[in-house]
């Protein structure tokens, strides 16, 4: 006998979608601090052994993040992420096949405020990455700082996140069996300070380390543009040279993370809050750019491949912008 469940009502679906997004936003805004506090506080209670045992495990497991991490497929396939996908919604768009016998380095643009598209597409199966690209295992790079936080490091590793350092990148790209993708949000935390609706400014003109990395491993480069990523939040005006921008840059230099002053909607109202707007995001994966392997590429060789990457990214943007309601007179700007 087949049991059929009644479909959820639209209001209930929307509540579950909002709840999924709320937990994701606050997992990065507050969960790391909660884990740190809990780890320290437990030492002063009768449960001190929990923190002591975890500290021992942490020491023994300290190299794991830079060795590809530890993904947990049950968590990557959680229904929570599908509710989060439907909240916006977020769609992963494929434009070319990827050979599972090769490794790839993907450049993700733009960062946005909280990189919602990058997280959902590469750290979960909500948008069907494994279905669109069979035989390919994605890894998304994240600031190394987050992997120094107890318990939280295990949470982020479960989705396929790895530290943003050269050793972690090389481990993924040099695996001989192929079938691995290293996704890098090239503009990084600094680019988040320019993330606002209608902005198509990318911090990319002098970002060439990812190109050099691809050349050293002979790994094809794949440009990605996430249409709508910058439309999810508003941001307090912070033009270059303003006291706020200078303060944000200074804090970034000290802490390694940027602090954009963003806002959007609330949980129960739509006028103000930290929850992103319900606006569609289309993450378009471009065609692979072949890269010849060079153990020590010269500056000129890196510049040449970098310019080719910029050209392909612009081409990807221009080919697809009309589909996603981008005005004809809007073009990518590199700074």
């Amino acid at each position: 006998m087949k049991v059929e469940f009644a479909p959820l009502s639209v209001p209930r679906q929307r509540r579950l979608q909002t709840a999924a997004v709320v937990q994701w936003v606050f997992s990065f805004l507050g969960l790391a601090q909660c884990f740190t506090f809990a780890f320290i506080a437990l030492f002063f209670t009768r449960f001190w052994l929990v923190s002591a045992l975890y500290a021992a495990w942490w020491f023994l497991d300290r190299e794991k993040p830079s060795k590809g991490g530890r993904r947990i497929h049950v968590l990557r396939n959680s229904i929570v992420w599908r509710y989060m996908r439907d909240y916006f919604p977020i769609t992963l768009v494929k434009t070319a096949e990827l050979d599972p016998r090769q490794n790839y380095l993907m450049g993700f643009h733009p960062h946005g405020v909280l990189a919602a598209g990058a997280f959902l597409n590469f750290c979960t199966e909500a948008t069907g990455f494994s279905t669109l690209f069979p035989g390919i295992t994605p890894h998304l790079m994240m600031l190394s700082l987050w992997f120094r936080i107890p318990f939280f490091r295990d949470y982020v590793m479960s989705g396929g996140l790895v530290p943003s350092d050269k050793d972690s990148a090389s481990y993924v790209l040099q695996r001989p069996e192929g079938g691995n993708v290293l996704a890098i949000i090239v503009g990084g935390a600094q680019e988040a300070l320019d993330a606002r609706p209608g902005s198509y400014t990318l911090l990319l003109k002098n970002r060439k380390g990812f190109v050099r990395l691809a050349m050293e491993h002979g790994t094809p480069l794949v440009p990605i543009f996430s249409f709508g990523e910058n439309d999810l939040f508003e941001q307090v005006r912070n033009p270059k040279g303003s006291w706020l921008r200078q303060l944000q840059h200074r804090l970034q230099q000290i802490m390694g993370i940027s602090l954009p002053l963003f806002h959007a909607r609330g949980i129960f109202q739509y006028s103000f809050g930290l929850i992103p707007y319900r606006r569609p995001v289309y993450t378009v994966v471009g065609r692979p750019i072949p890269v010849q392997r060079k153990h020590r590429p010269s500056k000129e060789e890196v510049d040449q491949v970098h310019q080719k990457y910029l050209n392909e990214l612009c081409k990807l943007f221009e080919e697809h912008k009309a589909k996603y309601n981008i005005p004809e007179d809007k073009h990518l700007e590199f700074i």
Side-chain angles (χ1 to χ4, degrees):
M1 177 177 165
K2 184 178 179 181
V3 179
E4 294 187 359
F5 296 93
L8 296 174
S9 64
V10 173
R12 179 165 171 74
Q13 286 180 351
R14 292 178 75 87
R15 286 196 296 270
L16 289 171
Q17 292 165 7
T18 302
V21 172
V22 168
Q23 68 81 29
W24 170 73
V25 170
F26 287 100
S27 69
F28 287 95
L29 295 183
L31 190 59
Q33 293 85 340
C34 290
F35 278 144
T36 303
F37 175 80
F39 176 74
I40 297 172
L42 284 173
F43 276 113
F44 300 94
T45 71
R46 60 179 177 172
F47 302 107
W48 62 270
L49 189 58
V50 173
S51 288
L53 289 174
Y54 183 83
W57 160 253
W58 190 1
F59 176 76
L60 295 172
D61 195 54
R62 63 190 183 278
E63 299 296 330
K64 191 62 178 178
S66 60
K67 302 295 182 183
R70 183 187 300 104
R71 66 187 58 233
I72 301 176
H73 293 288
V74 172
L75 294 181
R76 282 180 56 89
N77 286 280
S78 171
I79 193 172
V80 171
W81 308 128
R82 296 200 291 276
Y83 281 124
M84 179 179 166
R85 172 201 65 197
D86 294 339
Y87 171 91
F88 297 98
I90 294 179
T91 306
L92 183 62
V93 180
K94 171 183 174 181
T95 65
E97 296 291 339
L98 296 184
D99 185 351
R101 295 170 297 181
Q102 279 194 307
N103 298 318
Y104 296 90
L105 195 159
M106 291 182 169
F108 184 93
H109 314 274
H111 182 286
V113 171
L114 293 180
F119 174 82
L120 205 67
N121 286 308
F122 299 112
C123 300
T124 81
E125 287 297 330
T127 57
F129 184 94
S130 295
T131 302
L132 287 174
F133 302 104
I136 304 290
T137 301
H139 303 78
L140 178 64
M141 301 200 86
M142 185 182 192
L143 284 173
S144 302
L145 166 72
W146 299 108
F147 295 89
R148 302 187 190 121
I149 299 174
F151 303 114
F152 190 75
R153 68 188 287 274
D154 301 282
Y155 169 69
V156 295
M157 276 197 295
S158 70
L161 285 153
V162 296
S164 55
D165 57 58
K166 190 170 183 179
D167 289 341
S168 300
S170 296
Y171 181 86
V172 173
L173 296 178
Q174 69 188 8
R175 298 178 76 171
E177 69 275 15
N180 290 282
V181 155
L182 181 69
I184 301 177
I185 308 177
V186 182
Q190 190 176 343
E191 190 177 79
L193 299 178
D194 287 311
R196 50 178 45 85
S199 173
Y200 304 100
T201 301
L202 303 180
L203 186 62
L204 189 55
K205 184 181 291 186
N206 296 312
R207 295 280 173 116
K208 301 177 182 178
F210 74 104
V211 173
R212 183 178 294 275
L213 185 66
M215 296 180 71
E216 289 174 352
H217 293 278
T219 306
L221 285 163
V222 181
I224 298 175
F225 195 86
S226 195
F227 292 89
E229 190 75 40
N230 281 343
D231 298 335
L232 304 182
F233 295 94
E234 301 285 350
Q235 190 170 167
V236 175
R237 269 193 94 251
N238 58 344
K240 290 179 174 60
S242 66
W243 67 268
L244 176 57
R245 189 61 166 252
Q246 291 175 2
L247 177 61
Q248 288 172 323
H249 276 306
R250 182 59 180 161
L251 290 174
Q252 182 189 344
Q253 291 171 351
I254 296 172
M255 299 186 297
I257 58 175
S258 65
L259 296 172
L261 297 180
F262 64 90
H263 61 90
R265 52 159 290 193
I267 299 175
F268 304 109
Q269 45 74 34
Y270 298 92
S271 57
F272 187 83
L274 299 179
I275 310 305
Y277 294 119
R278 285 180 179 267
R279 293 173 178 170
V281 176
Y282 298 92
T283 303
V284 183
V285 181
R287 293 177 288 274
I289 303 169
V291 174
Q292 185 179 358
R293 185 167 189 170
K294 293 273 187 178
H295 180 57
R296 291 182 179 175
S298 65
K299 180 180 180 301
E300 291 73 21
E301 290 171 327
V302 171
D303 289 344
Q304 185 178 8
V305 176
H306 182 261
Q307 186 58 53
K308 187 174 182 180
Y309 180 86
L310 296 184
N311 295 341
E312 287 296 321
L313 181 59
C314 285
K315 185 178 178 181
L316 180 71
F317 179 81
E318 296 296 332
E319 285 179 351
H320 294 272
K321 68 180 183 181
K323 300 176 189 175
Y324 306 121
N325 301 316
I326 308 299
E328 183 62 32
D329 62 345
K330 292 291 185 179
H331 308 284
L332 293 182
E333 179 187 358
F334 301 121
I335 60 173

